[in-house]
Amino acid sequence: MLTRAVALAKELNRMLAAEVERAAVEPAALRTLDAEAVFAGATRRDAFNSEVARVEEDLARALAAAAASVGHGEVSLRRLAPHAPAQAAALAQAIDELRGHAATIARLDAVNRALASRALSFVRSYLAVLRPPVSGYDRRGARPALPAEPSFRSKA
């Protein structure tokens, strides 16, 4: 009854564990201002998020089907456990592991956001030095508009 749900939860665990390993190397790219590595990491995270969303939807469907098979409209481990105790215990353990991986990813993301903010501040300061403010005035007595800041985003 819960076999598919347990398998999907374990698949999510595998995916999140791999993302923890990948996200752990992201700070090095941010510290060295390796834009190519940062953008590649962002692309991989986007693909990861899409795949996780797909597996989560499959898990929700599997849990709903399991609940419906025992006559429950609402999904909860408490309600499913009497019908499949071993599978419910395995699912509960997998969900606990998922929470741990998700918390680790959240911590790594917080570090990466802080480093990205510092990197952005550094790049803006660097560009300000390269483009000092205009000291002249146009014919109407106003300072001319500054050119737009260059974009370092790749189009790939």
Side-chain angles (χ1 to χ4, degrees):
M1 168 173 62
L2 290 174
T3 306
R4 176 130 173 85
V6 171
L8 288 167
K10 287 181 178 180
E11 174 66 10
L12 277 173
N13 269 324
R14 185 198 60 72
M15 293 169 69
L16 266 65
E19 183 61 16
V20 165
E21 289 180 20
R22 193 209 58 79
V25 300
E26 198 72 21
L30 289 165
R31 283 188 185 102
T32 60
L33 299 177
D34 185 351
E36 192 172 308
V38 170
F39 289 130
T43 301
R44 283 190 300 274
R45 175 57 74 88
D46 187 48
F48 163 79
N49 288 341
S50 297
E51 185 63 15
V52 164
R54 184 192 62 75
V55 175
E56 284 177 340
E57 288 174 7
D58 290 348
L59 177 59
R61 281 192 291 275
L63 288 170
S69 73
V70 293
H72 293 294
E74 185 178 315
V75 177
S76 75
L77 281 176
R78 183 178 48 80
R79 288 185 176 175
L80 295 174
H83 303 284
Q87 292 174 330
L91 184 59
Q93 180 181 355
I95 289 172
D96 284 343
E97 290 173 16
L98 278 172
R99 287 184 185 119
H101 290 312
T104 301
I105 289 173
R107 282 192 300 275
L108 289 168
D109 285 351
V111 168
N112 290 342
R113 275 190 305 275
L115 288 171
S117 178
R118 286 178 49 194
L120 179 61
S121 176
F122 172 79
V123 169
R124 284 184 175 154
S125 298
Y126 186 73
L127 289 174
V129 169
L130 293 177
R131 285 185 313 145
V134 178
S135 60
Y137 296 92
D138 68 10
R139 65 178 185 220
R140 294 188 177 101
R143 289 189 183 265
L146 293 174
E149 286 190 22
S151 174
F152 295 103
R153 251 184 192 251
S154 69
K155 296 190 183 213

